Amino acid sequence: MTKVQIVVTVRKGTLDPEARTIRRALIKSGADIDDLKVGKWFEVEFPNLNKEEALKEAEKIAKNVLSNPVVHQCIIKEN
Amino acid sequence: MKVGVVVFPGSNCDRDAYRFMSDLGFSTQWLWHGDTSLKNVDLVFLPGGFSYGDYLRSGAIAKFSPIMEEIKEHADKGGTVVGICNGFQILIESGLLPGAMRTNEKSSFICDWSKLVKIECIDGPWNGPKNGESLNIPIAHMEGNWYGDEKLLQQIQENKQIIYKYEENMNGSVDNIAGLLNKKGNVLGMMPHPERASSALLGSSDGIKVFENLTSNLKN
C-alpha cells in the first residue's frame, strides 16, 4: 500500500481571491506575512501500487479530476 | 421540439427552468442524473444550483453522472445543450466548453441584475438576439469568474465563441465573459439566469430572447 499526498492550488500568477482575503485578514490580525497560498489537500491510499506506480496514478487523478489544469497546479508526494 | 431538464442532487433552478421552457411552448420533461438515456429530447437543459454540494469544484462531480456521457454524445452529434450557472460550470468541467471558473474577484456571492451585451458569434440555435443588443438578466453565483489564458482567449475570440459579455465586469471574468458557445455553436453556457427573467412582472422578460431562435422555429 502506498499513501500519496496531493495539494491543489491556484496556478502561480492567477488571481486567487480566497488567498487574498485570508491574507488581508491575517495582516489585520497583526500577522507579519508576505505572500499566502491556499490549497486543497488530499491523502490517497493505493492498496495495490508501489511508490512509482502510485505517484504516476496520483498525477493522473490530480490532473483529470482533482484539479482543472487551466487554473490549478498540483504538488504530489509520497506520504 | 422536446426539452429535457436534468436534475442533479443539489440542483435548485430545475423547476424554474421546467416552467420557463414549458411556458415558451416547448414540450418539457425531466431527466435524472442517473439516467442513461436522453429519452429522445432535442434540447438538454442543465439548470443552476449546487450539484453535489459544489464539492471539489462547482460542477466537478456532476461530470461523472451517467447522464453526462449521453449529453456529451448528443453534443458531439450537433444536439442542442444549454447550461445555466451551475449548468455552465458543469459544461466547463465536462470539457464541453473551454476554460475554468474561479471564485468571484471580490470573494462574495453576487445576487443582482446584470446588463449583458450580445456579441457577434457563431451562427446556430443560440444566435437569437441581435448583435449589440442589451439584455437585462439576473446573476446569482459565487464562482462565475471565467478564466482562460491569453492563448485560449484568442482562440475563442477567433472562433466567435463568445456570445454574451457583461456591460460592466461584475465578477472579474476575463474579457467580461458571461456566456460561451462550443466550437460548433450548439452548446451554450451562461452564468446569468434567463429563466429568472421570464416576465416584466419579475423585472425583465429578456430571458425569453436567449431562446428566440428556437421559439421562432417552433412557431414556423
Side-chain angles (χ1 to χ4, degrees):
Chain A
M1 193 272 284
T2 313
K3 263 191 195 174
V4 176
Q5 288 184 23
I6 302 167
V7 179
V8 178
T9 65
V10 171
R11 217 172 250 287
K12 211 179 165 187
T14 306
L15 171 81
D16 184 350
E18 190 180 0
R20 194 183 54 188
T21 306
I22 296 169
R23 181 179 170 272
R24 216 179 279 154
L26 284 173
I27 290 170
K28 266 190 203 160
S29 78
D32 179 22
I33 59 162
D34 198 355
D35 193 24
L36 177 132
K37 281 189 178 57
V38 174
K40 224 168 213 182
W41 175 86
F42 304 86
E43 187 179 75
V44 192
E45 286 181 14
F46 297 98
N48 301 313
L49 303 181
N50 64 31
K51 182 185 165 185
E52 196 187 338
E53 292 164 337
L55 288 172
K56 217 179 217 177
E57 188 62 15
E59 196 178 326
K60 202 167 103 191
I61 62 169
K63 279 192 178 152
N64 294 341
V65 183
L66 302 182
S67 74
N68 182 339
V70 175
V71 77
H72 293 128
Q73 59 188 14
C74 306
I75 303 160
I76 299 163
K77 59 181 180 188
E78 192 194 6
N79 203 5
Chain B
M1 188 178 205
K2 289 208 290 191
V3 174
V5 177
V6 184
V7 184
F8 294 96
S11 295
N12 67 7
C13 303
D14 42 344
R15 284 174 187 271
D16 299 35
Y18 189 100
R19 184 176 167 171
F20 176 66
M21 296 307 276
S22 301
D23 286 352
L24 289 180
F26 297 101
S27 158
T28 310
Q29 64 182 83
W30 295 114
L31 293 171
W32 186 240
H33 63 98
D35 285 348
T36 51
S37 155
L38 293 184
K39 300 177 183 167
N40 295 319
V41 301
D42 308 290
L43 190 165
V44 178
F45 195 123
L46 302 180
F50 300 86
S51 59
Y52 297 90
D54 272 354
Y55 290 172
L56 197 57
R57 293 179 305 284
S58 309
I61 308 284
K63 78 168 170 182
F64 296 108
S65 300
I67 198 146
M68 287 311 296
E69 284 303 314
E70 302 301 314
I71 294 171
K72 275 184 208 165
E73 209 181 304
H74 177 71
D76 285 348
K77 287 184 197 155
T80 315
V81 179
V82 59
I84 303 300
C85 198
N86 187 228
F88 185 13
Q89 294 162 337
I90 295 169
L91 291 173
I92 286 182
E93 286 291 341
S94 307
L96 286 167
L97 290 173
M101 282 298 179
R102 300 173 297 184
T103 305
N104 294 339
E105 195 176 15
K106 288 182 183 157
S107 288
S108 58
F109 189 96
I110 308 172
C111 183
D112 205 348
W113 285 95
S114 72
K115 277 237 183 277
L116 303 179
V117 192
K118 163 70 172 56
I119 307 298
E120 187 190 345
C121 63
I122 313 162
D123 206 13
W126 302 113
N127 208 355
K130 292 180 196 78
N131 297 329
E133 190 170 351
S134 178
L135 274 64
N136 204 16
I137 299 181
I139 56 169
H141 61 248
M142 180 80 184
E143 283 98 18
N145 179 354
W146 185 86
Y147 177 79
D149 61 16
E150 278 178 32
K151 197 176 147 200
L152 179 61
L153 181 64
Q154 200 185 338
Q155 267 175 19
I156 62 167
Q157 283 169 340
E158 281 169 10
N159 296 338
K160 297 195 172 177
Q161 286 174 253
I162 303 168
I163 179 164
Y164 294 112
K165 288 189 186 186
Y166 301 108
E167 270 185 21
E168 271 177 50
N169 201 332
M170 305 183 72
N171 53 20
S173 268
V174 169
D175 202 29
N176 289 20
I177 286 172
L180 280 179
L181 300 171
N182 65 342
K183 273 186 190 165
K184 284 192 283 191
N186 54 316
V187 178
L188 162 69
M190 61 191 287
M191 289 314 291
H193 287 266
E195 79 282 6
R196 294 187 191 179
S198 57
S199 153
L201 198 64
L202 299 173
S204 166
S205 58
D206 287 353
I208 295 169
K209 293 180 183 168
V210 172
F211 296 86
E212 215 162 47
N213 221 354
L214 296 163
T215 47
S216 62
N217 282 343
L218 279 184
K219 283 167 201 153
N220 294 332

